[in-house]
Amino acid sequence: MNYILMGSPGAGKGTQAKRIVKKFGIVHLSPGDMFREAKKSNEVISKLLASGQLVSDEIVVSMIKDRLTKDDVKERFFLDGFPRTVKQAEELDAILKAENIKIDAVFFIDVRFEEVIKRIAGRRVCSCGASYHVTMLPPKEANRCDLCGKELVQRNDDKEHPSYT
């Protein structure tokens, strides 16, 4: 059971992937989650994410390749939001062939552009990794994480008009 889930940012890939992973007991592979974890110990990724820049295909592919070569992943994974570019797709294909990994299905979540903008602009996150939405999944206490109580923030790249310095 190896699957890929694709769609635009804000389409609900992460939300659906978490539900599917829980129901079927398969490994969830999310580059976004991998970046958030890596930024704690990788200065290059931390600086890229803080500046709002995109992480290069080389870095993304390297992280995915490293994870796909682990034994717990080869037979049961759900790849969420990767590949995003043709180059990443070609690299993924090469990795899968080299590791003799078969993809059983690819799913695409199609959401209207206007809805995607509303979803992204309403997202709020906590430094502990929890995610919320101001209307669809609000925290119990406004602007506070249900899990750790810290203040929720809107990521710069989730703003309708992000500012990059």
Side-chain angles (χ1 to χ4, degrees), residues 35 45 48-49 52-60 63 88:
F35 295 145
I45 290 176
L48 281 171
L49 295 177
Q53 294 179 30
L54 294 177
V55 179
S56 71
D57 284 343
E58 289 77 21
I59 292 173
V60 178
M63 291 178 81
Q88 289 177 3

Side-chain angles (χ1 to χ4, degrees), residues 2-127:
N2 296 326
Y3 303 108
I4 298 176
L5 182 59
M6 301 178 79
S8 64
K13 297 179 303 295
T15 300
Q16 296 309 317
K18 286 177 179 124
R19 290 176 179 166
I20 292 166
V21 163
K22 185 176 180 180
K23 181 171 179 135
F24 296 104
I26 57 180
V27 178
H28 181 202
L29 302 180
S30 164
D33 291 348
M34 291 176 182
F35 295 145
R36 286 182 280 283
E37 186 61 34
K39 83 175 184 177
K40 297 174 188 173
S41 60
N42 185 313
E43 190 175 331
V44 172
I45 290 176
S46 182
K47 284 181 180 179
L48 281 171
L49 295 177
S51 71
Q53 294 179 30
L54 294 177
V55 179
S56 71
D57 284 343
E58 289 77 21
I59 292 173
V60 178
V61 169
S62 175
M63 291 178 81
I64 294 294
K65 180 179 182 179
D66 181 58
R67 193 63 182 100
L68 284 174
T69 60
K70 305 289 189 233
D71 288 338
D72 68 323
V73 174
K74 288 190 178 187
E75 299 300 321
R76 296 176 61 86
F77 67 83
F78 202 92
L79 188 52
D80 161 14
F82 181 87
R84 288 187 186 260
T85 67
V86 172
K87 182 177 181 182
Q88 289 177 3
E90 291 169 348
E91 294 284 340
L92 177 61
D93 189 49
I95 294 166
L96 295 172
K97 286 179 182 173
E99 295 296 321
N100 197 30
I101 298 172
K102 179 184 169 240
I103 299 297
D104 296 298
V106 177
F107 302 96
F108 181 79
I109 300 177
D110 188 20
V111 179
R112 288 186 349 265
F113 180 74
E114 297 80 16
E115 182 64 23
V116 166
I117 297 299
K118 281 196 289 188
R119 290 180 183 190
I120 291 173
R123 281 196 293 213
R124 300 296 183 269
V125 295
C126 181
S127 60

Side-chain angles (χ1 to χ4, degrees), residues 128-141:
C128 77
S131 293
Y132 300 88
H133 190 276
V134 294
T135 57
M136 293 186 279
L137 185 62
K140 293 174 185 164
E141 182 184 337

Side-chain angles (χ1 to χ4, degrees), residues 5 107 143 155-156:
L5 182 59
F107 302 96
N143 253 358
R155 294 182 349 209
N156 190 50

